[in-house]
Amino acid sequence: MAKEITGPILRALTLCKTIGAHAVLREVSFSMERGSGLAIMGPNGAGKSTLLKVLSGLWAPSGGELWRFGRRIGDETSSDQRVVLLGHHSFLYPSLTAFENLLFYAHLWGLRKARQRVVEVLRQVDLLWAQNDLLQTFSRGMVQRAALARVLLADAQLLLLDEPYTGLDGAGRQLLDRILGDQKRTGRSFILASHDEDDVMRVADAVALLVGGRMVWWSYTDKLRPEQLQRVCRGDYDKEGA
Amino acid sequence: MMIFVVMMAFLFALSLGSHVADLHAALPGILWMAFLFAGMIGMGKTFANEVREEALTGLILAPGDKIAIYLAKLTGAFVFMVLIEIVSTPLFLEVFQVPWRGPWTLWLLILALGAAGFVEVGTLLSTMSVHTSSGDLILTMLLLPLEIPVMIMTVQATRDLLTLTRAGFWLWIHGLIAYDAIFWVLPLMLYDYVWEV
């Protein structure tokens, strides 16, 4: 499948990733425009996390083409400050405070006015009150908010979010919805991997289904009813030909 | 690590008794065995801070050359190892009743080359094993055989320094330099690949 979601910010053409003898991604093709949100859904082991790792530059693709911001990424791993990944873990140090962790990343990314920026993002995720607490004392939801703050810190053009709602309470989920809406309004884009149809319908402009490493179906969310998406996720994607 | 080294010094000195000749003969081997095992304890902790929340992934995705992560870990491990050596070598000499022989610069040279050889291999293997489920086992199984040349050369060089055998001493030092150079260059060539192991 090589259907265009339009736009030049990210483009994958028959992208493949093999780990050992196992093909985790098989000829995945799509592209994304600036200021849009794409949701990747699929059962466990479908390759969602692997796809995000390849798109982030953490893992090199085994085949196909990957273009980010008009530049082709070769078969090497590559980091780019315009792309940030939120994984299953926070990528933070448990023995440092939330402020110290974010300041460390701000320096690592060479941000100007680093302290000011750290305070801004901590306020944005409503974690300023716990800025001097060690990460190891945080609840799961607070760690997720701190991880979100790290992702927002660099003011990246493309956010890659692997199940970002995990661990968040009701207020946290609303906060994330708001942040993702702001991202799109300011011309930034995101790709999120999720199992939750409600989350996807709320924040994404398009949704794609990954099964066995293949992108088997996709649709714009404004042309989709929630029950259709539920049927697709149950495996009836052939009947919902988007 | 330091407690382990001190314990090794006293236990071996006590078990060898008061025969000065035995103590002198045993010192080089026991000294470097203590450093080897103390270093292995340290190597197992190289990426301990990065494991729980996968901070290493965050470092890899940061702008800049990934080799900087390796070099930073290598430098930290090297400084720590040399400090332990500098503090504990006089203790070993005292406990084993060995008079200080040879210029201190040559002692520093052996200690630095031995530490470099150890931490170069150790840091590379730690990086390769950090994402594997049985990382500690892999580290131990691969580290010990790869450290055999370093141990042989450092023990021989230390013995030659204590007996003031200069010709033999420089032969082992040249061997150590060659070994260190190989394991300095190898990770620079492999490092991009190592992250995905």
Side-chain angles (χ1 to χ4, degrees):
Chain A
M1 190 187 100
K3 292 176 183 173
E4 287 256 312
I5 299 170
T6 73
I9 191 168
L10 184 77
R11 194 165 182 214
L13 283 173
T14 61
L15 203 61
C16 299
K17 178 65 186 174
T18 305
I19 298 175
H22 180 54
V24 187
L25 293 179
R26 300 157 191 255
E27 300 187 345
V28 173
S29 299
F30 68 95
S31 63
M32 271 194 84
E33 68 179 22
R34 206 170 291 274
S36 64
L38 169 67
I40 308 282
M41 301 194 75
N44 292 334
K48 302 186 294 294
S49 298
T50 301
L51 176 61
L52 293 186
K53 284 176 181 172
V54 171
L55 296 178
S56 72
L58 182 65
W59 288 354
S62 308
E65 290 180 23
L66 175 61
W67 295 76
R68 285 193 319 218
F69 307 106
R71 179 176 166 262
R72 182 168 178 193
I73 308 299
D75 54 4
E76 80 284 8
T77 57
S78 63
S79 55
D80 186 332
Q81 200 163 338
R82 290 171 295 180
V83 183
V84 286
L85 173 69
L86 176 75
H88 289 171
H89 292 85
S90 67
F91 304 164
L92 301 172
Y93 287 90
S95 54
L96 298 180
T97 67
F99 186 87
E100 288 166 344
N101 264 300
L102 296 179
L103 192 62
F104 171 70
Y105 273 100
H107 288 314
L108 208 57
W109 288 335
L111 302 184
R112 291 178 183 176
K113 297 180 180 172
R115 288 176 173 273
Q116 192 182 322
R117 180 71 188 139
V118 168
V119 170
E120 274 173 25
V121 291
L122 280 170
R123 187 176 289 121
Q124 209 175 341
V125 299
D126 197 16
L127 210 58
L128 198 56
W129 60 276
Q131 61 172 319
N132 294 320
D133 293 345
L134 295 178
L135 199 85
Q136 62 197 9
T137 66
F138 279 17
S139 68
R140 181 72 190 89
M142 287 167 75
V143 170
Q144 190 69 357
R145 283 177 188 241
L148 201 56
R150 180 190 65 80
V151 166
L152 296 172
L153 194 63
D155 206 16
Q157 294 296 311
L158 176 60
L159 309 185
L160 302 169
L161 311 167
D162 199 352
E163 300 187 29
Y165 289 93
T166 306
L168 293 178
D169 56 12
R173 298 174 88 84
Q174 284 180 2
L175 177 84
L176 183 52
D177 285 356
R178 203 164 56 241
I179 287 170
L180 294 180
D182 289 343
Q183 291 289 313
K184 287 195 290 185
R185 270 190 294 280
T186 52
R188 290 162 180 79
S189 311
F190 65 84
I191 300 178
L192 72 91
S194 178
H195 289 288
D196 192 307
E197 294 98 358
D198 293 336
D199 292 339
V200 167
M201 290 299 281
R202 266 196 332 271
V203 298
D205 300 308
V207 55
L209 184 70
L210 209 59
V211 176
R214 289 185 196 280
M215 198 173 274
V216 293
W217 175 94
W218 80 270
S219 170
Y220 290 108
T221 48
D222 59 0
K223 294 177 181 168
L224 197 64
R225 293 190 308 280
E227 56 273 21
Q228 275 182 294
L229 184 57
Q230 282 171 6
R231 279 198 296 275
V232 166
C233 291
R234 282 200 303 267
D236 292 340
Y237 48 85
D238 288 338
K239 297 168 192 166
E240 300 291 340
Chain B
M1 284 164 70
M2 194 63 222
I3 292 168
F4 175 79
V5 171
V6 171
M7 203 174 73
M8 288 273 286
F10 281 102
L11 281 179
F12 275 96
L14 283 171
S15 65
L16 287 169
S18 57
H19 297 288
V20 174
D22 290 346
L23 287 169
H24 287 201
L27 174 69
I30 293 169
L31 180 73
W32 282 100
M33 201 204 304
F35 293 154
L36 173 71
F37 284 106
M40 282 178 70
I41 295 169
M43 277 300 139
K45 305 280 182 200
T46 306
F47 287 99
N49 283 332
E50 279 81 11
V51 167
R52 196 166 133 199
E53 285 289 335
E54 284 193 11
L56 188 58
T57 305
L59 297 182
I60 295 167
L61 285 172
D65 201 324
K66 288 187 276 287
I67 195 71
I69 305 166
Y70 170 78
L71 293 177
K73 290 288 181 189
L74 180 71
T75 307
F78 176 75
V79 170
F80 201 58
M81 185 90 181
V82 167
L83 279 177
I84 285 178
E85 289 175 348
I86 287 173
V87 172
S88 50
T89 301
L91 175 80
F92 266 92
L93 293 174
E94 186 61 35
V95 172
F96 280 71
Q97 301 170 43
V98 177
W100 185 274
R101 287 194 190 121
W104 65 271
T105 47
L106 294 184
W107 273 99
L108 270 184
L109 185 66
I110 299 177
L111 295 178
L113 288 174
F118 179 80
V119 298
E120 282 171 3
V121 178
T123 310
L124 177 65
L125 293 179
S126 291
T127 313
M128 291 169 74
S129 62
V130 71
H131 283 136
T132 55
S133 53
S134 50
D136 286 343
L137 186 66
I138 291 169
L139 179 65
T140 312
M141 284 177 67
L142 291 177
L143 186 60
L144 281 173
L146 283 170
E147 294 295 356
I148 288 172
V150 180
M151 288 299 115
I152 291 172
M153 289 186 282
T154 47
V155 167
Q156 298 286 19
T158 307
R159 190 200 59 196
D160 288 348
L161 187 60
L162 287 170
T163 55
L164 300 172
T165 315
R166 287 294 167 89
F169 173 80
W170 286 109
L171 182 70
W172 299 117
I173 289 294
H174 288 147
L176 271 172
I177 291 170
Y179 185 92
D180 288 1
I182 290 167
F183 279 94
W184 173 256
V185 173
L186 198 63
L188 303 183
M189 294 163 62
L190 290 176
Y191 221 62
D192 232 17
Y193 168 75
V194 162
W195 295 118
E196 284 204 57
V197 171

PDB file of all heavy atoms in Angstrom, chain B residues 81-94:
ATOM      1  N   MET B  81      39.065   3.503  37.667  1.00  0.00           N
ATOM      2  CA  MET B  81      39.981   2.349  37.776  1.00  0.00           C
ATOM      3  C   MET B  81      41.379   2.814  38.179  1.00  0.00           C
ATOM      4  O   MET B  81      42.008   2.212  39.060  1.00  0.00           O
ATOM      5  CB  MET B  81      40.022   1.648  36.414  1.00  0.00           C
ATOM      6  CG  MET B  81      40.806   0.380  36.370  1.00  0.00           C
ATOM      7  SD  MET B  81      39.769  -1.016  36.765  1.00  0.00           S
ATOM      8  CE  MET B  81      40.962  -2.346  36.665  1.00  0.00           C
ATOM      9  N   VAL B  82      41.868   3.874  37.547  1.00  0.00           N
ATOM     10  CA  VAL B  82      43.223   4.376  37.854  1.00  0.00           C
ATOM     11  C   VAL B  82      43.279   4.872  39.302  1.00  0.00           C
ATOM     12  O   VAL B  82      44.274   4.641  40.003  1.00  0.00           O
ATOM     13  CB  VAL B  82      43.627   5.490  36.853  1.00  0.00           C
ATOM     14  CG1 VAL B  82      44.871   6.232  37.338  1.00  0.00           C
ATOM     15  CG2 VAL B  82      43.899   4.887  35.481  1.00  0.00           C
ATOM     16  N   LEU B  83      42.224   5.542  39.750  1.00  0.00           N
ATOM     17  CA  LEU B  83      42.203   6.026  41.140  1.00  0.00           C
ATOM     18  C   LEU B  83      42.306   4.855  42.126  1.00  0.00           C
ATOM     19  O   LEU B  83      43.081   4.918  43.091  1.00  0.00           O
ATOM     20  CB  LEU B  83      40.913   6.812  41.409  1.00  0.00           C
ATOM     21  CG  LEU B  83      40.893   8.258  40.929  1.00  0.00           C
ATOM     22  CD1 LEU B  83      39.529   8.892  41.192  1.00  0.00           C
ATOM     23  CD2 LEU B  83      41.977   9.072  41.611  1.00  0.00           C
ATOM     24  N   ILE B  84      41.551   3.801  41.852  1.00  0.00           N
ATOM     25  CA  ILE B  84      41.612   2.623  42.727  1.00  0.00           C
ATOM     26  C   ILE B  84      43.020   2.021  42.712  1.00  0.00           C
ATOM     27  O   ILE B  84      43.572   1.663  43.751  1.00  0.00           O
ATOM     28  CB  ILE B  84      40.553   1.587  42.306  1.00  0.00           C
ATOM     29  CG1 ILE B  84      39.179   2.075  42.763  1.00  0.00           C
ATOM     30  CG2 ILE B  84      40.851   0.216  42.883  1.00  0.00           C
ATOM     31  CD1 ILE B  84      38.039   1.185  42.381  1.00  0.00           C
ATOM     32  N   GLU B  85      43.620   1.970  41.536  1.00  0.00           N
ATOM     33  CA  GLU B  85      44.977   1.411  41.414  1.00  0.00           C
ATOM     34  C   GLU B  85      45.991   2.255  42.185  1.00  0.00           C
ATOM     35  O   GLU B  85      46.841   1.713  42.901  1.00  0.00           O
ATOM     36  CB  GLU B  85      45.376   1.355  39.931  1.00  0.00           C
ATOM     37  CG  GLU B  85      44.640   0.298  39.132  1.00  0.00           C
ATOM     38  CD  GLU B  85      44.966   0.348  37.648  1.00  0.00           C
ATOM     39  OE1 GLU B  85      45.585   1.345  37.204  1.00  0.00           O
ATOM     40  OE2 GLU B  85      44.602  -0.588  36.942  1.00  0.00           O
ATOM     41  N   ILE B  86      45.882   3.564  42.031  1.00  0.00           N
ATOM     42  CA  ILE B  86      46.855   4.467  42.671  1.00  0.00           C
ATOM     43  C   ILE B  86      46.748   4.378  44.205  1.00  0.00           C
ATOM     44  O   ILE B  86      47.748   4.394  44.907  1.00  0.00           O
ATOM     45  CB  ILE B  86      46.646   5.924  42.172  1.00  0.00           C
ATOM     46  CG1 ILE B  86      47.143   6.035  40.730  1.00  0.00           C
ATOM     47  CG2 ILE B  86      47.387   6.927  43.052  1.00  0.00           C
ATOM     48  CD1 ILE B  86      46.843   7.377  40.073  1.00  0.00           C
ATOM     49  N   VAL B  87      45.537   4.259  44.676  1.00  0.00           N
ATOM     50  CA  VAL B  87      45.338   4.187  46.129  1.00  0.00           C
ATOM     51  C   VAL B  87      45.778   2.826  46.674  1.00  0.00           C
ATOM     52  O   VAL B  87      46.413   2.750  47.731  1.00  0.00           O
ATOM     53  CB  VAL B  87      43.853   4.464  46.482  1.00  0.00           C
ATOM     54  CG1 VAL B  87      43.575   4.209  47.949  1.00  0.00           C
ATOM     55  CG2 VAL B  87      43.484   5.895  46.130  1.00  0.00           C
ATOM     56  N   SER B  88      45.476   1.766  45.933  1.00  0.00           N
ATOM     57  CA  SER B  88      45.693   0.434  46.513  1.00  0.00           C
ATOM     58  C   SER B  88      47.079  -0.162  46.231  1.00  0.00           C
ATOM     59  O   SER B  88      47.502  -1.061  46.962  1.00  0.00           O
ATOM     60  CB  SER B  88      44.597  -0.524  46.068  1.00  0.00           C
ATOM     61  OG  SER B  88      44.441  -0.467  44.690  1.00  0.00           O
ATOM     62  N   THR B  89      47.790   0.312  45.209  1.00  0.00           N
ATOM     63  CA  THR B  89      49.114  -0.272  44.926  1.00  0.00           C
ATOM     64  C   THR B  89      50.088  -0.084  46.095  1.00  0.00           C
ATOM     65  O   THR B  89      50.746  -1.061  46.504  1.00  0.00           O
ATOM     66  CB  THR B  89      49.691   0.314  43.617  1.00  0.00           C
ATOM     67  OG1 THR B  89      48.780   0.018  42.554  1.00  0.00           O
ATOM     68  CG2 THR B  89      51.043  -0.287  43.288  1.00  0.00           C
ATOM     69  N   PRO B  90      50.207   1.118  46.670  1.00  0.00           N
ATOM     70  CA  PRO B  90      51.104   1.252  47.841  1.00  0.00           C
ATOM     71  C   PRO B  90      50.686   0.335  48.996  1.00  0.00           C
ATOM     72  O   PRO B  90      51.547  -0.206  49.699  1.00  0.00           O
ATOM     73  CB  PRO B  90      50.953   2.722  48.245  1.00  0.00           C
ATOM     74  CG  PRO B  90      50.469   3.409  47.023  1.00  0.00           C
ATOM     75  CD  PRO B  90      49.627   2.406  46.307  1.00  0.00           C
ATOM     76  N   LEU B  91      49.378   0.135  49.146  1.00  0.00           N
ATOM     77  CA  LEU B  91      48.870  -0.745  50.203  1.00  0.00           C
ATOM     78  C   LEU B  91      49.352  -2.179  49.966  1.00  0.00           C
ATOM     79  O   LEU B  91      49.835  -2.852  50.876  1.00  0.00           O
ATOM     80  CB  LEU B  91      47.336  -0.690  50.225  1.00  0.00           C
ATOM     81  CG  LEU B  91      46.681  -1.657  51.204  1.00  0.00           C
ATOM     82  CD1 LEU B  91      46.725  -1.106  52.620  1.00  0.00           C
ATOM     83  CD2 LEU B  91      45.231  -1.921  50.812  1.00  0.00           C
ATOM     84  N   PHE B  92      49.240  -2.640  48.713  1.00  0.00           N
ATOM     85  CA  PHE B  92      49.703  -3.990  48.372  1.00  0.00           C
ATOM     86  C   PHE B  92      51.209  -4.134  48.643  1.00  0.00           C
ATOM     87  O   PHE B  92      51.659  -5.143  49.192  1.00  0.00           O
ATOM     88  CB  PHE B  92      49.416  -4.287  46.887  1.00  0.00           C
ATOM     89  CG  PHE B  92      48.109  -4.987  46.668  1.00  0.00           C
ATOM     90  CD1 PHE B  92      46.953  -4.281  46.417  1.00  0.00           C
ATOM     91  CD2 PHE B  92      48.036  -6.377  46.711  1.00  0.00           C
ATOM     92  CE1 PHE B  92      45.746  -4.917  46.209  1.00  0.00           C
ATOM     93  CE2 PHE B  92      46.828  -7.029  46.503  1.00  0.00           C
ATOM     94  CZ  PHE B  92      45.676  -6.296  46.258  1.00  0.00           C
ATOM     95  N   LEU B  93      51.987  -3.120  48.239  1.00  0.00           N
ATOM     96  CA  LEU B  93      53.443  -3.182  48.431  1.00  0.00           C
ATOM     97  C   LEU B  93      53.766  -3.289  49.924  1.00  0.00           C
ATOM     98  O   LEU B  93      54.660  -4.040  50.335  1.00  0.00           O
ATOM     99  CB  LEU B  93      54.123  -1.948  47.834  1.00  0.00           C
ATOM    100  CG  LEU B  93      54.065  -1.821  46.308  1.00  0.00           C
ATOM    101  CD1 LEU B  93      54.637  -0.493  45.835  1.00  0.00           C
ATOM    102  CD2 LEU B  93      54.841  -2.963  45.641  1.00  0.00           C
ATOM    103  N   GLU B  94      53.033  -2.551  50.724  1.00  0.00           N
ATOM    104  CA  GLU B  94      53.265  -2.544  52.168  1.00  0.00           C
ATOM    105  C   GLU B  94      52.876  -3.895  52.779  1.00  0.00           C
ATOM    106  O   GLU B  94      53.663  -4.492  53.521  1.00  0.00           O
ATOM    107  CB  GLU B  94      52.431  -1.403  52.791  1.00  0.00           C
ATOM    108  CG  GLU B  94      52.671  -1.158  54.257  1.00  0.00           C
ATOM    109  CD  GLU B  94      54.108  -0.769  54.563  1.00  0.00           C
ATOM    110  OE1 GLU B  94      54.722  -0.076  53.727  1.00  0.00           O
ATOM    111  OE2 GLU B  94      54.610  -1.179  55.641  1.00  0.00           O
TER     112      GLU B  94
END
